[in-house]
Amino acid sequence: MKENNLNEKVWQLMKKIPRGRVTTYGMIGRKLRTKAYRAVGQACKKNPYAPHVPCHRIVESNGKVGNYSGRGGVARKIELLKKEGIKVKDKRVENFEKVLYKF
DNA sequence: AGCGTGACGAACT
DNA sequence: TAGTTCGCCACGC
């Protein structure tokens, strides 16, 4: 089922994010040639491909972890990232530039 | 069909 | 540096 919306594109893109890496809403938006960074966030929130799409690997462009609608909220997101080797301090990703996956 | 909200981002004050 | 405003797209009411 393909949708003409950004949703499907976003999901396909975030599936490519390797483990132990993160990306930003801005990166995805730029890759899709769109300024609707908000729509990217909406796609994550909606994401029907739940465990198939690692939306927890998406952070804000300023290095902040951002938000999370899953169980436990942002705290849960941080734990998942830490499990993958990404260190988060005070909702901020350490070595942000190094773990950032660029498209 | 229209308005308000939101897992954002860049610019402005 | 921090707080506010505008832009952009999808979704709920």
Side-chain angles (χ1 to χ4, degrees), chain A residues 45-58:
Chain A
K45 184 167 95 169
K46 307 290 298 176
N47 104 1
Y49 298 89
H52 197 61
V53 178
C55 10
H56 62 271
R57 291 185 189 146
I58 315 291

Side-chain angles (χ1 to χ4, degrees), chain A residues 37-49:
Chain A
Y37 307 117
R38 291 190 151 184
V40 178
Q42 291 300 334
C44 278
K45 184 167 95 169
K46 307 290 298 176
N47 104 1
Y49 298 89

Side-chain angles (χ1 to χ4, degrees), chain A residues 12 16 20 38 47 75 79 84 87-88 90 97 99-100:
Chain A
Q12 292 298 316
K16 298 167 177 251
R38 291 190 151 184
N47 104 1
E79 298 249 333
E84 302 196 349
K87 295 171 178 63
V88 180
D90 191 34
E97 294 181 28
V99 297
L100 177 60

